[in-house]
Amino acid sequence: MSHTVTLAEARTVIAAATAEAEKIGQPMNIAVVCAGGYLLAFERMENAWLGSVDIAQKKAWTSRAFDIETGTLGTLSQSGDQFFGINASNDGKVMIFAGGVPLLRDGKVIGAIGVSGGLGAQDQAVAEAGAKTIK
Amino acid sequence: MSHTVTLAEARTVIAAATAEAEKIGQPMNIAVVCAGGYLLAFERMENAWLGSVDIAQKKAWTSRAFDIETGTLGTLSQSGDQFFGINASNDGKVMIFAGGVPLLRDGKVIGAIGVSGGLGAQDQAVAEAGAKTIK
Amino acid sequence: MSHTVTLAEARTVIAAATAEAEKIGQPMNIAVVCAGGYLLAFERMENAWLGSVDIAQKKAWTSRAFDIETGTLGTLSQSGDQFFGINASNDGKVMIFAGGVPLLRDGKVIGAIGVSGGLGAQDQAVAEAGAKTIK
Amino acid sequence: MSHTVTLAEARTVIAAATAEAEKIGQPMNIAVVCAGGYLLAFERMENAWLGSVDIAQKKAWTSRAFDIETGTLGTLSQSGDQFFGINASNDGKVMIFAGGVPLLRDGKVIGAIGVSGGLGAQDQAVAEAGAKTIK
């Protein structure tokens, strides 16, 4: 069993995420990174926000870089909280709002999915739909 | 009918915005981007803030990149809100305060105007004056 | 009468600011920019913070770029306020805390001083001491 | 007596910090910078967060650049506080949350340690364990 998500798995992750995005009627940018944090696959659905191309990839990176959902990291990073200012690090790659979810196999992080194109709850739902295809 | 704002239309947008800025007595930086988010036309009025040259262009880009007014994006991006931290993305191009307005034709975003040089309400009024010239 | 601060004037500004810093016993970084926002003169006092070399210059730039004291800009740029997020613009050059003060002649901005090395009130006092030497 | 931490001392700092990290069971990234703020030694423990490689180094730099613990700087840099926005300076190198601690000899800053990989209190405890090895 590989310690990183494979390209074949990444395609499945994106397909499941896309299906969820279509179900809720919001076009999304969807990115998958490998265990090293590098981009493995990406798709922008028709009419998805252009500004989210970058955000989706950075949510995936952030989720792998800190082995955490970006929404959870966000709750720790508001003004007055213990990680406030963390997004000044790593050359602007740290995203601190919902839509990045680690991909797990046997309790180990093997990559991550990042979704951007809607409100926070929508991005999160689409990311989770993709992430749960990993066995 | 073109799916992007034309240069001739951009000049009309800027002229209307400038007229509004003169009416309220505040010199402005005014930028128009095409449907792809690239700068199409720009003018800095006499004595307008030098630091707003960059901001006006980025407000226009942001407004097109997320198909939204930058003031509205801003209300979602304060500390504690769902998009807090979004302006760490896209290499610093995301502006989250009033003055960026999409240009619409038949309900479709065909570009955007970005205005910077005064208080938030002033920038917004000038941007709206420009945007409404699009038919 | 020149429309920009001269180098000779900048030296006087820095000397007065340094005297004030010595009086309050806090070493400072002190920068003066011309009407175009470019650095004209700079001095780092013994034992002043290394991280403030950059901040002093950027406070001076910001003060000229928006014709405003950086402390005032800061009050408009907190979370929930109308310019929140402005410091994502201009490639990180916008400083939104006290210590930058425009240099005025006949009510016209001809440059700015930026001071960094102490608490906000200290930086501000030193900047004001320098700025008031301009006639 | 040297006015900067030596490489031999840096190794001792890191060893003590690592021992503390193992004691609390959280893998960490640990960096030591010299009096000039430049990286002297760095280690990433097994399974420590990849995104913290950068943060640990920047915490160390920040701590030296302002002769202050990064946690203390953080309390002055929240929205509404006097240094809010300081982390837009210095090209993103300013970290404003706990884990950076100056290294002191005879009351003089001779370098700094930066730790990242856990919650704020954990990072701080590990940094302090390293810093106190300096005589």
Side-chain angles (χ1 to χ4, degrees):
Chain A
M1 187 68 71
S2 173
H3 290 307
T4 187
V5 60
T6 64
L7 178 56
E9 288 174 316
R11 287 178 186 140
T12 302
V13 167
I14 290 178
T18 301
E20 179 69 17
E22 286 170 347
K23 204 175 92 187
I24 64 179
Q26 185 70 18
M28 296 286 183
N29 291 267
I30 305 165
V32 174
V33 298
C34 69
Y38 294 92
L39 190 63
L40 192 54
F42 173 86
E43 287 191 8
R44 176 162 62 94
M45 294 169 67
E46 295 288 331
N47 299 313
W49 294 334
L50 301 179
S52 287
V53 170
D54 184 64
I55 295 173
Q57 294 178 63
K58 288 179 173 168
K59 281 183 180 171
W61 181 85
T62 299
S63 199
R64 168 55 184 128
F66 299 100
D67 296 344
I68 197 171
E69 295 193 4
T70 55
T72 304
L73 184 63
T75 63
L76 299 169
S77 304
Q78 303 301 306
S79 181
D81 289 303
Q82 68 180 294
F83 288 154
F84 179 65
I86 192 172
N87 52 346
S89 75
N90 288 287
D91 304 311
K93 281 189 293 185
V94 180
M95 294 292 105
I96 56 172
F97 50 112
V101 172
L103 301 178
L104 293 165
R105 176 175 292 139
D106 303 329
K108 206 176 151 78
V109 178
I110 60 167
I113 177 174
V115 174
S116 181
L119 297 178
Q122 294 173 318
D123 292 356
Q124 181 68 20
V126 171
E128 288 176 3
K132 75 180 181 198
T133 64
I134 298 290
K135 305 298 175 194
Chain B
M1 185 68 72
S2 172
H3 290 307
T4 187
V5 60
T6 65
L7 178 55
E9 288 172 316
R11 286 179 186 140
T12 303
V13 167
I14 290 179
T18 301
E20 178 70 16
E22 286 170 346
K23 203 176 92 187
I24 64 177
Q26 185 69 20
M28 296 286 182
N29 292 268
I30 305 165
V32 174
V33 298
C34 69
Y38 293 92
L39 190 64
L40 191 54
F42 172 87
E43 286 191 9
R44 176 161 63 92
M45 294 168 69
E46 295 289 328
N47 299 311
W49 295 334
L50 301 178
S52 288
V53 171
D54 184 64
I55 295 172
Q57 295 178 63
K58 288 179 174 169
K59 281 182 181 171
W61 181 84
T62 300
S63 199
R64 168 54 184 127
F66 299 99
D67 296 343
I68 197 172
E69 295 194 3
T70 55
T72 304
L73 184 63
T75 62
L76 300 169
S77 304
Q78 304 300 305
S79 181
D81 289 302
Q82 67 180 294
F83 288 154
F84 179 64
I86 192 173
N87 52 345
S89 76
N90 288 287
D91 304 311
K93 281 189 292 185
V94 181
M95 294 292 105
I96 55 174
F97 50 112
V101 173
L103 301 178
L104 292 166
R105 176 176 291 138
D106 302 330
K108 205 175 152 79
V109 178
I110 60 167
I113 177 174
V115 174
S116 181
L119 297 178
Q122 294 173 317
D123 292 357
Q124 181 68 20
V126 172
E128 288 176 4
K132 75 180 179 197
T133 65
I134 297 289
K135 305 298 174 195
Chain C
M1 185 68 70
S2 172
H3 290 308
T4 186
V5 61
T6 65
L7 178 55
E9 287 173 317
R11 287 180 187 138
T12 302
V13 168
I14 290 179
T18 300
E20 179 69 16
E22 284 170 347
K23 204 177 92 187
I24 64 176
Q26 186 69 20
M28 296 285 183
N29 292 268
I30 305 165
V32 174
V33 298
C34 69
Y38 294 92
L39 189 65
L40 192 55
F42 173 87
E43 286 190 8
R44 176 161 62 94
M45 294 169 68
E46 296 287 329
N47 299 312
W49 294 333
L50 302 178
S52 287
V53 170
D54 183 65
I55 295 172
Q57 294 178 63
K58 288 179 173 169
K59 281 181 180 170
W61 181 85
T62 299
S63 199
R64 168 54 184 129
F66 299 99
D67 296 344
I68 197 171
E69 295 194 2
T70 55
T72 304
L73 184 62
T75 62
L76 299 170
S77 306
Q78 304 300 306
S79 180
D81 288 304
Q82 68 180 292
F83 289 155
F84 179 65
I86 191 172
N87 53 346
S89 76
N90 288 285
D91 304 311
K93 281 189 292 185
V94 181
M95 294 291 106
I96 55 173
F97 50 112
V101 173
L103 301 178
L104 292 166
R105 177 176 289 139
D106 302 330
K108 204 174 151 78
V109 178
I110 60 167
I113 177 174
V115 174
S116 181
L119 297 179
Q122 295 174 318
D123 292 356
Q124 180 68 18
V126 171
E128 288 176 4
K132 74 181 180 197
T133 65
I134 298 289
K135 306 297 175 195
Chain D
M1 187 68 70
S2 171
H3 290 307
T4 187
V5 61
T6 65
L7 178 55
E9 288 174 317
R11 287 178 187 141
T12 303
V13 167
I14 290 178
T18 301
E20 179 70 15
E22 286 170 345
K23 204 177 93 186
I24 64 177
Q26 185 70 19
M28 296 285 183
N29 291 268
I30 305 165
V32 174
V33 298
C34 69
Y38 294 93
L39 189 65
L40 193 54
F42 172 85
E43 286 190 9
R44 175 161 63 92
M45 293 170 67
E46 295 287 330
N47 299 313
W49 294 333
L50 301 177
S52 288
V53 170
D54 184 65
I55 295 172
Q57 295 179 63
K58 288 179 173 168
K59 281 182 181 172
W61 181 85
T62 299
S63 198
R64 169 53 184 129
F66 299 99
D67 297 344
I68 197 172
E69 295 194 3
T70 54
T72 304
L73 184 63
T75 62
L76 299 169
S77 305
Q78 303 301 306
S79 180
D81 289 303
Q82 69 180 292
F83 288 154
F84 179 65
I86 192 172
N87 52 345
S89 75
N90 289 286
D91 305 310
K93 281 189 294 186
V94 180
M95 295 291 106
I96 55 173
F97 49 111
V101 173
L103 301 177
L104 293 164
R105 176 176 292 138
D106 302 330
K108 205 176 152 77
V109 178
I110 59 167
I113 177 173
V115 174
S116 181
L119 297 178
Q122 294 174 318
D123 292 355
Q124 181 68 18
V126 170
E128 288 177 3
K132 75 180 180 197
T133 65
I134 298 289
K135 305 296 174 196

